[in-house]
Amino acid sequence: MGTEPLALNYFNYFTETEEHFQRARGTSLFLLSPLDWALLESWKNAGVPLEAVLRGIDTAFENWRGRKVKTQMVNSLAFCAQAVLTEAQVMAGTAQPKVRKQAAPPFGLEELRAYLENNAAALPAEYAETAVSLRKLAAAAEEHYGDLEALEQRLTVLEERMIAVARSRQTEEEMLAARQQLDRQLRPYRGKMTADQLTMLEKQYLERHLLEKSGLPRLSLFYMR
């Protein structure tokens, strides 16, 4: 692996990973599954560096290509889970962590303002309180643009509150169906992940599924694509 600093933009965590996985797999038409997106979000929330994710993907594919017998194609980011965890552990244990060049945000001030306003407008009446908060953030977008990390924390709090409301409106049958769907998708990869990884992945998947079924937008800046 190279030793040069990587010029990566943290707010491109999702898009850079998706594109890197597509290149490693050798097809630009491949789309990540809901399980893949939940896994990626769990890595982001756990503080796994983007560099570790990209390097883990490379390592997993190098190992796969080195096999004499390839029983199946790599059809999920979950295939790379163990390699990503290993890379994250290596980086965490490095005495002199690799420096990541700081890049400008991949979106402008007006894009940020529009993103916040559009999310507020997309919320149903039951989420009026969250919509008001988003509109306040949009009105002060210029101020928040100077500290996107603090803005992301505020948006995380708002999304958690939104999820709590959506969960309170979910029926027992809907919760069961989501759990069964998760188990079907996750079954081939359980042996590749630790208990902590599985717990976090399950949480992210079920929350993502809940928001999609409820027709609610993601509020994080990582979804400005």
Side-chain angles (χ1 to χ4, degrees):
M1 295 179 184
T3 57
E4 291 299 316
L6 299 177
L8 303 173
N9 196 305
Y10 188 56
F11 285 105
N12 277 340
Y13 198 100
F14 291 163
T15 53
E16 294 224 25
T17 300
E18 182 179 39
E19 292 169 1
H20 197 83
F21 184 83
Q22 289 171 340
R23 287 194 296 269
R25 192 176 184 275
T27 172
S28 60
L29 300 178
F30 183 81
L31 298 177
L32 297 184
S33 70
L35 179 66
D36 293 328
W37 285 108
L39 178 59
L40 184 52
E41 190 167 13
S42 73
W43 287 340
K44 187 264 292 182
N45 291 345
V48 175
L50 178 54
E51 293 94 326
V53 175
L54 304 187
R55 292 171 183 174
I57 291 172
D58 289 340
T59 298
F61 273 94
E62 287 170 8
N63 292 341
W64 178 78
R65 292 192 175 94
R67 295 178 181 176
K68 291 184 179 180
V69 179
K70 301 178 180 65
T71 57
Q72 61 182 14
M73 283 291 293
V74 178
N75 292 320
S76 174
L77 189 61
F79 178 84
C80 309
Q82 189 57 51
V84 169
L85 177 61
T86 299
E87 289 294 336
Q89 291 172 335
V90 169
M91 292 183 69
T94 302
Q96 296 295 328
K98 293 179 175 61
V99 177
R100 182 174 65 221
K101 294 179 180 179
Q102 295 300 313
F107 47 80
L109 172 59
E110 290 310 312
E111 289 177 283
L112 173 61
R113 195 190 313 277
Y115 177 72
L116 296 171
E117 290 176 346
N118 289 341
N119 279 343
L123 291 175
E126 310 90 272
Y127 302 87
E129 186 177 349
T130 300
V132 169
S133 296
L134 286 171
R135 291 191 176 96
K136 288 181 179 178
L137 292 175
E142 186 170 1
E143 174 186 347
H144 295 298
Y145 192 68
D147 191 350
L148 293 176
E149 183 176 352
L151 176 58
E152 177 66 18
Q153 291 172 347
R154 287 178 178 271
L155 293 174
T156 297
V157 170
L158 291 178
E159 185 166 289
E160 288 175 349
R161 185 170 65 185
M162 191 170 67
I163 289 171
V165 174
R167 186 176 290 119
S168 70
R169 301 171 62 85
Q170 196 176 25
T171 67
E172 182 178 338
E173 288 74 18
E174 290 171 337
M175 295 173 67
L176 177 60
R179 171 63 64 176
Q180 291 173 335
Q181 184 176 338
L182 168 62
D183 287 342
R184 285 194 297 270
Q185 294 191 40
L186 191 54
R187 191 174 299 122
Y189 307 104
R190 286 190 179 276
K192 300 179 182 294
M193 302 181 197
T194 66
D196 287 345
Q197 282 182 309
L198 287 170
T199 298
M200 183 172 293
L201 173 55
E202 290 171 357
K203 177 179 180 293
Q204 294 301 329
Y205 179 93
L206 293 173
E207 288 183 353
R208 184 182 185 90
H209 182 274
L210 173 60
L211 291 175
E212 289 178 354
K213 289 296 183 181
S214 302
L216 299 172
R218 300 307 303 261
L219 304 186
S220 170
L221 299 177
F222 290 88
Y223 289 91
M224 288 186 64
R225 302 180 64 190

